[in-house]
Amino acid sequence: MTEPSFPGRMRQLRTERGLSLRDLAKLTYHGKTYLHELESGAKMPTPQAAQRVDDALQAGGELAALAAVRPGIRRREFVAAAGLAAALPHTLLAHGRHVGNAVPGRLADRTARLRRLDNYLGGADTRQLYRAEVASTTRLIQDGSYSEATGRQLLAILAEQAQLAGWAAFDAGDHPDAERLYRISLAAARDAEDHALTGNGLAFLAYQQLASGGRAADTASAACDAAGTTATPKVRVLLNLRAAWAFAVTGDATAADRHLGIGMTFLAEHDDRPEPDWVYWVDRLEGEIMTGRCWTVLHRPIRAIPVLERALGAYCDTQARDKALYLSWLADAYLDANEIEQACQAAGSAVRLAGGVGSIRPGQRLDAFLHRLEPHAAMPCVVELQALAAAASTRPRLSGSTTSGTP
């Protein structure tokens, strides 16, 4: 599978920012030729150069972390290479109990860097790291001394960290731990009086309920209500897209379509207020992916296929887990349209991408798809796909194993 790539991500971010190499050279004070060599992979960046490019492209530490990754590195080692495995939050109390006003900002920056690991690693790789952050920030809140305003900021950071840890547990298949962490997040967000973060916690819990048979649609609707009408546009996009997914999975096409429409409308809105970091990845591509997924699970392949094809054409292979998942929905849509060969082609791409990812979800999706193919078992493309999937299942995992909570 494709590993995290500094050159590929640098090129993608530069293109998204609308910058030429000449423009980037002016921002970084590096020569255009040198930047081209970095982007083509002809040279590896020094830590200083990587940080300058990261700052110029507003990558939030992602490129600096990727620059630490060398060819052949195992995916779990990316965490250590990113420089995030030390200096837990509670160690700030080493010289006394007082927590200064600058501490929440430092922890928020660290949490933002941790969040970006999810682009490249599965929950089996990140869950222990994320859980350690939750435990450490909890100790900081319990043992530290700080102002009321600083306390609310620390609680909001704890809520974000618990959401990250809950998502990693969910991705690794440990649903009880995921629900526990989501409820910790909800309590912290409410105590912090952060309505948008409370809404996001409810949206995560709705995802969890989809896996466990809870009232996911009600919870997803409550997430939109909790954030309120004053939330920033990207927050409202995210919560409405997640509500659309909950309604689609439960078979309510009308409600799913309504929330998709609301979410895509807010994508076009502009607001002077800063967006929270936890929606940094929300854009039109995400909206199209969710739209295609919704129409797939509602068995509307004519609507789903063109949207998913267009979105996946712009999706980076380094985000292997997510792209494998989205390809699996494209495969389902093609199968619903009785295009068996194209369905197998999409599923085959998903199998190749998913190898070694520390997540149970691509494998679950692909197993379900292979089961759907049983009536077509004699077709050559199906035989080839089954052989590919069987070979992939025997390869050693590159990532941490799932827990006993894995279904």
Side-chain angles (χ1 to χ4, degrees):
M1 66 176 298
T2 307
E3 295 293 341
S5 160
F6 179 93
R9 187 61 175 146
M10 174 183 168
R11 186 183 310 109
Q12 183 185 28
L13 286 170
R14 180 178 63 78
T15 302
E16 290 174 357
R17 304 288 187 267
L19 297 173
S20 65
L21 283 171
R22 189 179 301 278
D23 295 330
L24 188 58
K26 293 176 182 177
L27 294 172
T28 60
Y29 304 104
H30 286 299
K32 176 184 171 183
T33 300
Y34 175 65
L35 293 174
H36 173 71
E37 290 171 334
L38 297 185
E39 197 171 270
S40 64
K43 285 186 177 179
M44 292 299 295
T46 64
Q48 295 80 7
Q51 190 60 60
R52 283 188 181 179
V53 175
D54 189 291
D55 292 340
L57 296 178
Q58 302 172 13
E62 181 182 355
L63 285 175
L66 285 173
V69 180
R70 294 295 181 263
I73 194 168
R74 292 168 66 88
R75 296 179 67 85
R76 279 183 295 175
E77 293 166 0
F78 181 45
V79 175
L84 290 164
L88 289 167
H90 75 270
T91 61
L92 295 169
L93 294 175
H95 303 292
R97 295 181 64 248
H98 179 68
V99 179
N101 295 339
V103 169
R106 291 166 59 187
L107 296 185
D109 289 344
R110 176 181 170 86
T111 302
R113 293 182 66 195
L114 287 166
R115 181 176 289 111
R116 282 153 180 78
L117 292 179
D118 187 64
N119 288 338
Y120 307 105
L121 304 175
D125 298 314
T126 58
R127 63 178 305 199
Q128 297 303 329
L129 177 62
Y130 290 166
R131 285 177 66 182
E133 293 290 314
V134 171
S136 186
T137 300
T138 300
R139 285 180 59 186
L140 180 67
I141 292 170
Q142 290 173 341
D143 298 342
S145 173
Y146 38 78
S147 68
E148 183 178 346
T150 297
R152 283 197 299 271
Q153 291 174 307
L154 291 174
L155 284 166
I157 291 165
L158 175 61
E160 289 190 43
Q161 292 171 343
Q163 287 173 10
L164 277 175
W167 173 251
F170 174 82
D171 196 40
D174 191 341
H175 296 293
D177 195 42
E179 181 170 349
R180 178 186 68 84
L181 287 158
Y182 289 153
R183 295 198 180 279
I184 289 173
S185 169
L186 276 172
R190 285 166 175 157
D191 287 346
E193 299 178 1
D194 190 322
H195 302 301
L197 201 50
T198 299
N200 198 42
L202 286 167
F204 271 122
L205 189 58
Y207 259 65
Q208 179 67 28
Q209 289 171 335
L210 286 173
S212 60
R215 298 177 63 86
D218 290 346
T219 306
S221 294
C224 296
D225 293 340
T229 58
T230 60
T232 53
K234 279 194 174 183
V235 170
R236 300 185 76 178
V237 171
L238 178 61
L239 298 184
N240 276 283
L241 291 180
R242 287 179 169 171
W245 176 244
F247 280 109
V249 172
T250 54
D252 190 337
T254 301
D257 198 25
R258 181 175 71 253
H259 281 284
L260 285 173
I262 295 171
M264 297 303 281
T265 298
F266 278 116
L267 269 176
E269 285 206 4
H270 299 284
D271 197 314
D272 292 334
R273 295 173 295 167
E275 295 280 359
D277 184 75
W278 46 266
V279 293
Y280 81 92
W281 49 275
V282 176
D283 56 15
R284 182 158 294 278
L285 179 61
E286 175 64 21
E288 290 183 349
I289 287 288
M290 188 63 84
T291 298
R293 288 173 60 190
C294 287
W295 290 124
T296 296
V297 299
L298 288 165
H299 302 291
R300 306 281 182 86
I302 302 304
R303 292 191 182 191
I305 290 170
V307 177
L308 287 173
E309 286 276 18
R310 183 171 61 249
L312 282 164
Y315 219 85
C316 183
D317 280 2
T318 57
Q319 298 176 359
R321 177 199 59 198
D322 291 346
K323 190 165 185 178
L325 284 166
Y326 303 153
L327 282 163
S328 75
W329 274 294
L330 178 61
D332 270 335
Y334 271 127
L335 189 55
D336 282 342
N338 204 33
E339 296 288 350
I340 313 303
E341 291 183 353
Q342 287 175 286
C344 289
Q345 182 178 358
S349 296
V351 170
R352 295 182 185 93
L353 278 171
V357 170
S359 169
I360 67 165
R361 294 185 298 140
Q364 289 177 330
R365 291 276 312 142
L366 289 165
D367 285 347
F369 177 76
L370 287 170
H371 181 71
R372 291 190 65 199
L373 282 176
E374 287 179 359
H376 312 283
M379 292 184 65
C381 63
V382 176
V383 173
E384 182 180 347
L385 176 62
Q386 288 173 332
L388 179 64
S393 70
T394 63
R395 288 200 298 266
R397 289 177 51 81
L398 297 178
S399 305
S401 61
T402 55
T403 70
S404 58
T406 303

